Amino acid sequence: MARQGIVVTPLLLLLFIVRRYIKDWLERKQPPFGAVSSSVLLMIIYTTFCDTFSNPSIDLDKFSLLLVLFIICSIQLSFMLLTFIYSTRNNSGFTPADTVAVMFCSTHKSLTLGIPMLKIVFAGHEYLSLISVPLLIYHPVQILLGSVLVPTIKSWMVSRQKGVKLMRPTV
């Protein structure tokens, strides 16, 4: 624990010092941090896909790949359904907009966190490419499921919000 403090403390001090002096410059110039972040994410995904599927030792047949895809879709839908059910209960205290946020934010994970963790935990493992396949499938599946479910969830949220507004007493 002490070693972490040795590393983190100077970084935090540097961050506070640098922020103080370049804050105004950053506000004036507005560097394209969003574009840089998206580019880095795209490169991480691209290199991971290349590393995984160009590996000659990966022995993944089409049936196994489809089975993994089915399992991941089932898990993703189950998690989304569970969060929807729990957040729409009467005593949950969530508004319809909160329910949508909970449903999407609690089930979505990113390759930017998963791939570096896999590379650290399984460093040097000969089946690292095979181990990363479910994560490589999970990320696009969550995006596709989200885009498919958005119209339905949006109409549910709008109708629910109208119902809530109609039921509120006016003062």
Side-chain angles (χ1 to χ4, degrees):
M1 209 53 138
R3 287 185 183 177
Q4 292 171 345
I6 292 171
V7 172
V8 173
T9 304
L11 287 175
L12 288 176
L13 288 174
L14 181 66
L15 176 68
F16 288 125
I17 292 169
V18 168
R19 184 174 181 216
R20 172 184 244 175
Y21 292 109
I22 67 167
K23 182 181 177 185
D24 294 331
W25 178 81
L26 285 173
E27 287 175 355
R28 279 193 320 271
K29 295 291 183 181
Q30 295 182 346
F33 290 125
V36 170
S37 173
S38 296
S39 300
V40 169
L41 176 61
L42 183 62
M43 288 304 297
I44 289 172
I45 294 169
Y46 175 75
T47 57
T48 305
F49 265 98
C50 289
D51 289 345
T52 299
F53 294 108
S54 67
N55 188 346
S57 68
I58 190 171
D59 186 29
L60 189 64
D61 59 303
K62 291 178 183 176
F63 176 75
S64 297
L65 194 59
L66 288 173
L67 184 63
V68 169
L69 179 66
F70 174 75
I71 291 169
I72 289 172
C73 286
S74 301
I75 290 171
Q76 178 72 15
L77 283 171
S78 299
F79 285 158
M80 291 179 91
L81 181 63
L82 281 172
T83 55
F84 180 79
I85 290 170
Y86 282 117
S87 63
T88 55
R89 294 187 325 189
N90 288 337
N91 59 354
S92 71
F94 290 120
T95 66
D98 292 338
T99 297
V100 172
V102 166
M103 197 170 98
F104 281 106
C105 294
S106 67
T107 60
H108 282 60
K109 303 298 170 226
S110 174
L111 283 171
T112 55
L113 178 63
I115 294 301
M117 276 200 309
L118 281 176
K119 287 185 177 184
I120 291 169
V121 172
F122 296 104
H125 196 280
E126 63 179 311
Y127 294 112
L128 177 62
S129 296
L130 195 59
I131 294 169
S132 65
V133 168
L135 184 60
L136 289 171
I137 294 172
Y138 187 86
H139 189 72
V141 164
Q142 71 186 9
I143 293 169
L144 289 173
L145 280 176
S147 63
V148 167
L149 293 174
V150 162
T152 306
I153 293 170
K154 182 180 178 182
S155 65
W156 170 84
M157 184 183 77
V158 169
S159 68
R160 195 56 108 79
Q161 285 177 331
K162 287 179 183 175
V164 169
K165 288 178 184 176
L166 292 175
M167 292 172 47
R168 282 191 189 150
T170 55
V171 179

